[in-house]
Amino acid sequence: QVQLQESGPGLVKPSQTLSLTCTVSGASITTDFYYWCWIRQLPGKGLEWMGAITYSGSTYYNPSLKSRTSISRNTSKNQFTLQLSSVTPEDTAVYYCAREGSDYRFGAWGQGTQVTVSS
C-alpha cells in the first residue's frame, strides 16, 4: 500500500521560498509510469495542480505557476520536493502530494499540510 507524507514548515514569510518534501513508502518513485504531483487547495477554492515529476525525472508545471515552481526528487530517499519562490499571502493553502497513474487518476494522496504565508 503506497503512502505519501508531506513535511515542511507551516509558516513562511512573504518573498521567501516555500519548500515541502513528500516522502513515499510502499512504492518507488521511479516505477513506470507514475507521475508524482503537488496539488494545493487555496482557502474556499478548488484543487489546483501545481506540477509533477515523472518516474523518469521529467518535470511538468502549471503554466500559471511555472516561473516560481521547481520540483525535484531524491531517489535514494524516495522523496520528491516542491519549491515555490517569492511567495505571497495568496499562496496560503493546504498543500498535497499525490501519485497520478497512467489512467490520469490520483490514486494516492498525502494527508495534506497547511502552509500559511505571513509576516
Side-chain angles (χ1 to χ4, degrees), residues 3-71:
Q3 293 185 319
L4 296 84
Q5 178 66 59
E6 306 89 352
S7 60
L11 180 64
V12 182
K13 290 185 177 357
S15 80
Q16 292 187 341
T17 296
L18 179 162
S19 184
L20 296 174
T21 295
C22 183
T23 300
V24 179
S25 59
S28 170
I29 62 172
T30 62
T31 299
D32 298 346
F33 294 97
Y34 291 106
Y35 285 28
W36 302 90
C37 308
W38 286 100
I39 297 166
R40 68 181 182 178
Q41 185 161 28
L42 303 172
K45 297 187 178 181
L47 296 171
E48 179 180 40
W49 181 86
M50 300 182 69
I53 187 163
T54 74
Y55 57 97
S56 63
S58 298
T59 52
Y60 299 90
Y61 300 108
N62 184 323
S64 69
L65 298 169
K66 185 176 182 179
S67 64
R68 299 194 292 130
T69 307
S70 177
I71 298 175

